[in-house]
Amino acid sequence: MSDRASAEARSAESISRNVAGGSLRAEDLLDEVVSRIGASDPKLGAFVHFDPTEARGALERCPREGKLAGVPFAAKDNISTRGTLTTCASRILEGYRSPTDATVISRLAGAGAWVAGKTNLDEFAMGSSTEHSVFGPTSNPWDTSRVPGGSSGGSAAAVAAGIVPFALGSDTGGSVRQPASFCGVVGLKPTWGRVSRSGLVAFASSLDQIGVFSRSARDCARVLGVIAGHDPLDSTSSLEAVPDYEERLEQGLGGVRVGVVDGTWESLDAEMRSSFERSLGILRSLGATIDRVALPSLGLSIAVYYIVANAEASANLARFDGIRYGRRASGDLSLRETWVRSRTEGFGDEVKRRIMLGTFALSSGYYDAYYGRAQQVRAAISAEFRRAFEDVDLIAMPTTPSVAFRKGEKLDDPLAMYLSDVFTAPANLAGIPAISVPADVSAGGLPIGLQFLGPHFGESLLLRAARAMESEVSLPRIAPGF
Ligand code: GLN
């Protein structure tokens, strides 16, 4: 088998079956990961911390049985891993080693999966291109002159290049789904509260959710089944029972009512629009019905998102002051100078921009005009989704307004960068689950994703829709050239 074919065959499901059955040694998988990172990562820059000795340690600590026996995975570098580096791609967390594993990491280890390495991101998960990283950018495996999306671009690239079968990211406004779409892989943002956030470095707590990248709906379902569920360490994690996400995966879309939202895809460029319409045709051919639904406040999502997210970020990042958390500026400094210098040296430009915008929106005299208004519109968006899900079972929407853009293209234009979240931020504002699934490839050879959104705790149906779509479109599971 060629190296590419063997990587394609390495799904989480098949690895765990073979490791548990004794026909595959997990140690051999470590050698495979080491050689794949050695061959691919110089071109991609997906991994920011990879140490074969630490990876071996993670492998040795986990059982050779369980739903993910022997399966390697990558974790975005804002998810804490015990004893190894967790830096959020920020200078302020240079050299930081977490004393504990995030709950998702310990749950995966309990099921037999081991963390191979940590992946690149926009600093503190703020961005849509993985260019705002102290380690430099990650490249898109489909075209290395382009961005992989962000902020979880390293995780998306690692899965798309066949280095690991799945990876974890975080999604505050689209950071799992948008890079999944740009890199041609599956990306799921669960319902807010479905997966514990304990050990995830907070960006905007009311929007943040840990999500999954994989090359198939089945692997995504399996990983979600392991990481979902209540966690005493995260009081906002839900008590709702975790269903068997794999059980109904193959049930298809017969009779499922899919909604499309007026005023979303009609203004896309010709190629994105016709690709979306083609996807709707596929859904119809699978037995789904397509109905139009109205979400009149959806157009305000970006404005609302960037007020709420930045306000929460400004509060969450206050702890990085060089004293309680974070690298301390050196020299004979007063308390005030220590704060100012540590934050000035430690944070990059985009993070500073967010802190300033968020602080402004929360400041006295402006609070009602910005933050208060934004919360009202957020509530209206949630209510419109609730109403829509009385008429349809799920909503289909493009994941992104364009295919992966070129590196540097939006770097000097923050607003253009923010607008790439137009279709993903609404799910975070409403706290509902959403998945991006590879649906098409553009004339220029770049992946195009399709997004499904569902009601709270509707992950089973989203995964079923993703599975149905994947069975109809045959696209490379690993980027051509890897
Ligand atoms: N691109 C969005 C932002 O920059 C979303 C980031 C995310 O989901 N972490 O805020």
Side-chain angles (χ1 to χ4, degrees), residues 26 33 54-55 73 83 99 112 138 162 184-185 250 289 304 336 355 362 370 373 417 424 430 456 472:
V33 169
E54 285 175 354
F73 70 96
T138 296
V185 297
E250 304 290 344
T289 58
V304 170
R336 192 181 172 80
I355 291 172
L362 290 176
Y370 296 110
R373 282 295 282 285
M417 189 78 92
T424 48
H456 291 95
E472 282 302 301

Side-chain angles (χ1 to χ4, degrees), residues 125-128 151 170-175 203 305-306 354 421:
M126 297 175 184
S128 308
S151 62
S170 64
D171 190 313
T172 303
S175 282
F203 163 10
Y305 169 80
Y306 277 94
R354 307 273 182 130
D421 308 325

Side-chain angles (χ1 to χ4, degrees), residues 251-260 277-292 391-396 450 452 461 464-466 468-469 472:
Q251 276 184 2
L253 286 179
V256 171
R257 299 166 304 167
V258 175
V260 293
E277 286 168 347
R278 205 164 31 250
S279 292
L280 295 183
I282 294 174
L283 296 176
R284 273 194 205 96
S285 75
L286 288 164
T289 58
I290 310 282
D291 292 305
R292 298 177 84 95
D391 297 332
V392 295
D393 302 307
L394 42 85
I395 290 173
L450 173 69
F452 293 111
L461 185 58
R464 216 169 101 191
M469 197 67 200
E472 282 302 301

Side-chain angles (χ1 to χ4, degrees), residues 117-420:
K118 306 293 288 291
T119 54
N120 203 12
L121 65 153
D122 289 293
E123 185 178 359
F124 284 101
M126 297 175 184
S128 308
S129 67
T130 316
E131 293 172 292
H132 299 296
S133 162
V134 74
F135 300 107
T138 296
S139 302
N140 189 317
W142 289 69
D143 175 350
T144 51
S145 70
R146 292 177 188 264
V147 303
S151 62
S152 318
S155 285
V159 173
I163 297 172
V164 282
F166 81 90
L168 297 178
S170 64
D171 190 313
T172 303
S175 282
V176 168
R177 290 159 287 153
Q178 185 253 23
S181 176
F182 279 10
C183 293
V185 297
V186 175
L188 170 73
K189 181 203 91 75
T191 305
W192 190 81
R194 178 69 300 183
V195 173
S196 169
R197 289 180 291 118
S198 176
L200 169 70
V201 178
F203 163 10
S205 310
S206 76
L207 304 159
D208 294 343
Q209 188 56 206
I210 289 175
V212 181
F213 293 95
S214 65
R215 291 192 291 270
S216 69
R218 176 162 302 276
D219 278 1
C220 188
R222 181 158 299 199
V223 173
L224 179 65
V226 170
I227 62 175
H230 180 67
D231 173 16
L233 296 176
D234 174 2
S235 60
T236 68
S237 63
S238 171
L239 292 162
E240 180 95 9
V242 179
D244 181 345
Y245 295 111
E246 287 181 79
E247 201 183 328
R248 266 166 279 161
L249 206 55
E250 304 290 344
Q251 276 184 2
L253 286 179
V256 171
R257 299 166 304 167
V258 175
V260 293
V261 185
D262 288 337
T264 48
W265 85 97
E266 298 90 333
S267 56
L268 292 174
D269 73 37
E271 183 170 44
M272 295 301 284
R273 184 184 165 141
S274 68
S275 171
F276 182 70
E277 286 168 347
R278 205 164 31 250
S279 292
L280 295 183
I282 294 174
L283 296 176
R284 273 194 205 96
S285 75
L286 288 164
T289 58
I290 310 282
D291 292 305
R292 298 177 84 95
V293 292
L295 289 165
S297 306
L298 208 68
L300 299 170
S301 295
I302 287 292
V304 170
Y305 169 80
Y306 277 94
I307 291 171
V308 173
N310 291 346
E312 292 186 20
S314 72
N316 275 326
L317 268 56
R319 73 191 67 173
F320 297 100
D321 57 8
I323 297 170
R324 291 171 300 168
Y325 288 92
R327 175 185 172 283
R328 185 175 306 174
S330 57
D332 185 11
L333 304 173
S334 69
L335 179 60
R336 192 181 172 80
E337 285 166 343
T338 303
W339 286 335
V340 172
R341 286 266 301 275
S342 297
R343 287 167 72 80
T344 303
E345 292 170 11
F347 290 135
D349 287 349
E350 181 61 25
V351 172
K352 286 176 185 157
R353 178 155 44 231
R354 307 273 182 130
I355 291 172
M356 286 190 282
L357 285 168
T359 306
F360 176 79
L362 290 176
S363 52
S364 108
Y366 295 102
Y367 183 94
D368 290 335
Y370 296 110
Y371 191 71
R373 282 295 282 285
Q375 290 293 32
Q376 286 168 354
V377 180
R378 181 179 186 179
I381 292 170
S382 295
E384 288 172 14
F385 271 115
R386 255 196 316 277
R387 226 168 293 130
F389 287 124
E390 288 169 8
D391 297 332
V392 295
D393 302 307
L394 42 85
I395 290 173
M397 221 188 264
T399 311
T400 57
S402 72
V403 293
F405 44 89
R406 291 193 183 282
K407 283 184 199 158
E409 196 179 312
K410 299 187 198 260
L411 206 49
D412 299 324
D413 187 352
L415 204 53
M417 189 78 92
Y418 297 170
L419 287 171
S420 56

Side-chain angles (χ1 to χ4, degrees), residues 7 10 15 29 32-42 44-47 50 72-74 114 116 119 141 154-166 215 478 482:
R10 293 273 191 251
I15 292 173
L29 291 166
E32 276 184 21
V33 169
V34 172
S35 84
R36 289 206 173 108
I37 290 180
S40 303
D41 214 42
L44 297 176
F47 284 83
F50 172 65
F73 70 96
W114 51 280
T119 54
S155 285
V159 173
I163 297 172
V164 282
F166 81 90
R215 291 192 291 270
I478 291 176
F482 283 86

Side-chain angles (χ1 to χ4, degrees), residues 57-65 68-71 108-115:
L59 167 64
E60 283 167 356
R61 281 193 299 276
C62 70
R64 297 291 178 273
E65 54 188 22
L68 294 168
V71 179
L108 288 166
W114 51 280
V115 59

